[in-house]
């Protein structure tokens, strides 16, 4: 029972993350300029990505998911070890999961998929990145100690920073972090097959995988913290210290290696990892230390089927369905409010679909066989 309580924090946190992807973000963005409230407009601006350098809250969404994937992976691997599953079998499951996510990612980003024109297929995807990150983290988790994994993260982030500053790019030289002249873009153009997202660059391609998987490694480290036989307040303290330290290091590093999601800079990794530690601490403090659990149900329903809704919003037009079902109601409000009302209706439909799956005990999660509570 105690294990289930701890994992509610993770399900709720993942659900909060997916809420912004599955309609919550669109609702807030469409409120911009309609209320006359500056703080609403500020929130809406936080839900768009910067053009290049800089940071908004929306940049945190994908890193947070990679982090929570690491938490779930920690529980899943520990559960497998306790059931006597050997390393070979754990490797096999992680590899199979990686292949499934890579294939689903390619389908997601290339619909309709033209299999006869591979040069126009985009291979760098969000789901593929999650699959690769969880596979690498599994290998590290099963062969290195917690301290050694932290050394690995430090080594990767330092090496990545050094590479971008020291390796010259043909025509631009070394240390060019512009969109046109950075090492990541040149590496993608030279070695990545298929179509790149920005034609000459793709933030989910090859080289950025190295710093990105560090978030999942750090997430597994957080999962280990939660599984320790310690009082809740001590776990909360450890998570908070890790978060504050990571944010401080990230901000310090950003003084010469800018925060940049497109490049997945080392400073960006540390900042978002620190934020993830603190968000996990907050959710853990509310649901587990203080025992306020009912509020988390809304997020839990989303978090337990995150893969379903990520693909669902790609293949199901919830906006159109919302217009059909709720248009007769919100057509009577001022026109400037109607886009936000439609987005809210779409969000309601998304949640009801996930609630139906929850009631039927249908949980499709890339990290667990049944659900993140029972993995």
């Amino acid at each position: 029972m105690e294990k289930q309580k701890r994992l509610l924090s993770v399900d709720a946190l993942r659900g909060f993350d997916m809420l912004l992807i599955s309609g919550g973000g669109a609702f807030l963005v469409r409120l911009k300029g309609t209320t006359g409230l500056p703080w609403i407009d500020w929130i809406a601006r936080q839900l768009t990505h910067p053009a290049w350098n800089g940071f908004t809250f929306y940049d945190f969404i994908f890193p947070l998911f990679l982090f929570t994937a690491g938490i779930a992976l920690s529980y899943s691997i520990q559960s497998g070890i306790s059931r006597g599953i050997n390393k070979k079998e754990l490797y096999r499951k992680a590899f199979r999961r990686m292949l499934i996510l890579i294939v689903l990612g390619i389908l997601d980003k290339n619909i309709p998929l033209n299999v006869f024109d591979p040069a126009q297929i985009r291979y760098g995807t969000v789901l593929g990145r999650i699959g690769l990150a969880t596979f690498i983290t599994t290998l590290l988790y099963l062969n290195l100690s917690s301290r050694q994994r932290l050394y690995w993260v430090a080594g990767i982030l330092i090496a990545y920073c050094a590479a971008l500053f020291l390796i010259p790019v043909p025509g631009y030289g070394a240390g060019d972090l512009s969109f046109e002249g950075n090492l990541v873009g040149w590496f993608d153009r030279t070695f990545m097959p298929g179509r790149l997202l920005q034609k000459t660059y793709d933030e989910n391609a090859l080289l950025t995988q190295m710093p990105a998987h560090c978030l999942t490694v750090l997430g597994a480290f957080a999962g280990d913290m939660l599984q320790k036989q310690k009082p809740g307040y001590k776990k909360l303290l450890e998570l908070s210290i890790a978060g504050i330290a990571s944010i401080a290091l990230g901000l310090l590093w950003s003084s010469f290696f800018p925060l940049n999601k497109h490049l997945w800079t080392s400073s960006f990794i540390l900042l978002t990892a620190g934020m993830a530690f603190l968000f996990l601490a907050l959710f853990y403090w509310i649901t587990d230390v203080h025992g306020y659990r009912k509020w988390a149900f809304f997020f839990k329903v989303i978090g337990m089927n995150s893969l379903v809704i990520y693909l669902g919003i790609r293949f199901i037009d919830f906006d159109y369905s919302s217009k059909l079902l709720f248009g007769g109601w919100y057509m009577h409000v001022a026109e400037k409010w109607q886009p936000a009302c439609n987005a809210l209706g779409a969000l309601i439909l998304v949640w009801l679909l996930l609630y139906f799956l929850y009631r039927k005990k249908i949980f499709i999660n890339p990290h667990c066989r049944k659900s993140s509570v029972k993995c």
Side-chain angles (χ1 to χ4, degrees), residues 67-258:
F67 187 89
T68 58
I71 302 171
L73 191 64
S74 168
Y75 276 94
S76 181
I77 293 175
Q78 288 295 337
S79 176
I81 292 173
S82 68
R83 297 197 306 269
I85 300 177
N86 59 41
K87 283 188 178 182
K88 184 178 180 180
E89 178 64 14
L90 292 172
Y91 293 149
R92 186 185 66 81
K93 288 184 177 182
F95 185 73
R96 181 179 62 186
R97 177 174 61 236
M98 177 183 69
L99 291 181
I100 291 172
L101 287 174
I102 288 174
V103 170
L104 289 176
I106 292 173
L107 290 173
D108 171 46
K109 296 303 181 185
N110 296 278
I111 292 297
L113 180 62
N114 184 356
V115 296
F116 298 106
D117 190 5
Q120 295 304 313
I121 295 176
R122 183 187 172 201
Y123 297 99
T125 68
V126 168
L127 293 181
R129 170 143 297 180
I130 295 169
L132 286 165
T134 51
F135 179 69
I136 295 172
T137 302
T138 298
L139 297 179
L140 297 174
Y141 195 95
L142 291 172
N143 293 284
L144 300 178
S145 67
S146 295
R147 178 174 293 184
Q148 288 172 328
R149 279 181 271 133
L150 287 179
Y151 289 155
W152 171 273
V153 169
I156 289 294
L157 296 182
I158 292 172
Y160 183 71
C161 177
L164 265 63
F165 275 100
L166 299 178
I167 298 177
V169 174
Y172 294 93
D176 190 328
L177 301 183
S178 68
F179 179 83
E180 299 82 7
N182 69 84
L183 177 66
V184 174
W186 174 83
F187 197 89
D188 291 345
R189 294 190 297 273
T190 305
F191 299 105
M192 186 69 177
R195 175 173 59 90
L196 301 177
L197 177 62
Q198 291 96 354
K199 299 186 183 300
T200 59
Y201 178 84
D202 195 321
E203 63 190 55
N204 289 324
L206 294 173
L207 204 58
T208 53
Q209 181 60 48
M210 296 309 295
H213 86 270
C214 293
L215 286 159
T216 307
V217 177
L218 291 172
F221 188 74
D224 288 348
M225 289 181 177
L226 291 177
Q227 294 182 80
K228 290 179 180 178
Q229 297 299 317
K230 290 184 177 182
Y233 74 90
K234 288 189 175 181
K235 298 177 186 179
L236 183 64
L237 180 61
E238 289 182 352
L239 291 170
S240 300
I241 291 173
I244 294 170
S246 185
I247 289 175
L249 286 172
L251 292 176
L252 180 63
W253 209 336
S254 70
S255 63
F256 64 91
F257 196 18

